[in-house]
Amino acid sequence: MEKRTDFAKGLSIGIIMDGNGRWAKKRGLPRTAGHKKGAEVFKDITRYCNELEVASVTFYAFSTENWARPVEEVNTIMKLFGEYLTAAYDYQKENNRVVFLGDRTPLPEKFQAQMEEIETKTAHNTGTILNVAINYGGRQEIVRAAQILARRVQEGKLSPEEIDERLLSDCMYTAGQKDPDFILRPSGEHRLSNFMLWQASYSEFVDMDVLWPDFTRDDLDKAIDEFNHRSRRFGGI
């Protein structure tokens, strides 16, 4: 599709990677095969967002509810995540700043150490901010922010009357980042699924009837083009 060279520059995008299991089932494969193919798509779309000069892209990789899935499937997702951590320095070369969103404490200590190291080493990169939501839940994130502010009040560093949207935003995992311009969900589903509940208050939603392992750069172009034709009024007329 024809597009301006800057048609995505500066955008903030949230992506719910959905449909891996259904993709595998349609092909008579185990669900784990869908996650492996989805991981390849994740890497390619990450690179493409950087080429498009997208400001930030947030991938919903593993939710707090996903622990309830079959053990083999969870183990495969964690194995793929571990492989990502090992290869993450490729993204540093591409000037990505990497940020991990979510509660890390249930993850293996090795993963936690790698995540911290990656964030530190890419902190001053100026390309696309790559947010990876792992063991993440939007409600849990808001509760965590409230707890941080409650402790400050308890310590006498803050009064309840001083708490406003800015302070809450500063306590989110995405502190200092632009809220998503749009949330993209492939797979034909129409749910937010506990993803970026605070940040998405004025985001546009783009649903696409394509399973994540089949998602391509052309699909992302179409999603961005649809967003660019939306009229955003932010509560106005």
Side-chain angles (χ1 to χ4, degrees):
M1 62 182 292
E2 292 185 12
K3 57 181 183 291
R4 302 192 321 270
T5 56
D6 64 345
F7 88 127
K9 186 175 182 178
L11 288 181
S12 177
I13 304 171
I15 301 178
I16 301 174
M17 299 183 289
D18 192 19
N20 293 340
R22 277 170 286 164
W23 181 90
K25 185 177 180 180
K26 283 174 61 176
R27 289 161 176 75
L29 300 171
R31 290 175 60 87
T32 52
H35 292 301
K36 290 176 182 177
K37 182 65 167 64
E40 295 173 8
V41 175
F42 159 78
K43 291 179 182 178
D44 185 58
I45 295 300
T46 295
R47 292 190 175 98
Y48 189 46
C49 284
N50 207 33
E51 292 172 18
L52 293 175
E53 297 184 73
V54 167
S56 66
V57 57
T58 303
F59 290 95
Y60 203 4
F62 191 84
S63 76
T64 50
E65 291 78 21
N66 287 156
W67 294 107
R69 292 187 176 187
V71 173
E72 181 184 4
E73 185 173 347
V74 171
N75 288 343
T76 295
I77 293 172
M78 287 299 148
K79 181 176 181 291
L80 290 169
F81 180 61
E83 292 172 358
Y84 161 75
L85 291 175
T86 303
Y89 296 108
D90 289 343
Y91 301 117
Q92 184 180 12
K93 292 176 183 176
E94 295 177 32
N95 202 27
N96 287 118
R97 175 187 163 201
V98 183
V99 180
F100 296 100
L101 319 182
D103 179 10
R104 307 176 188 192
T105 54
L107 302 177
E109 290 186 4
K110 177 183 177 182
F111 285 5
Q112 295 183 47
Q114 287 178 300
M115 292 161 75
E116 183 176 352
E117 182 180 8
I118 291 166
E119 286 182 329
T120 300
K121 288 192 172 183
T122 64
H124 299 294
N125 288 352
T126 57
T128 297
I129 298 173
L130 170 58
N131 294 314
V132 181
I134 184 84
N135 194 34
Y136 172 88
R139 286 184 174 181
Q140 291 82 354
E141 181 181 24
I142 294 171
V143 168
R144 170 183 172 272
Q147 290 172 340
I148 291 171
L149 293 178
R151 280 193 292 271
R152 293 179 188 172
V153 172
Q154 190 177 46
E155 294 166 356
K157 298 177 180 177
L158 183 71
S159 70
E161 293 74 22
E162 291 178 289
I163 297 174
D164 57 15
E165 290 186 16
R166 181 187 61 79
L167 282 179
L168 267 170
S169 291
D170 288 345
C171 293
M172 298 293 164
Y173 292 118
T174 53
Q177 296 187 34
K178 178 185 178 184
D179 286 341
D181 292 296
F182 71 92
I183 303 291
L184 167 65
R185 182 161 192 161
S187 84
E189 299 293 344
H190 307 280
R191 297 186 301 275
L192 197 52
S193 295
N194 203 18
F195 180 57
M196 302 192 87
L197 300 183
W198 177 266
Q199 298 89 337
S201 59
Y202 278 102
S203 301
E204 297 290 320
F205 291 91
V206 178
D207 302 313
M208 303 186 76
D209 193 16
V210 54
L211 301 176
W212 178 249
D214 288 327
F215 194 82
T216 66
R217 294 185 175 203
D218 283 343
D219 290 319
L220 183 59
D221 286 349
K222 292 173 185 175
I224 294 169
D225 186 61
E226 179 176 334
F227 166 77
N228 285 339
H229 284 86
R230 297 277 181 90
S231 175
R232 306 184 78 196
R233 294 181 293 276
F234 299 97
I237 297 175

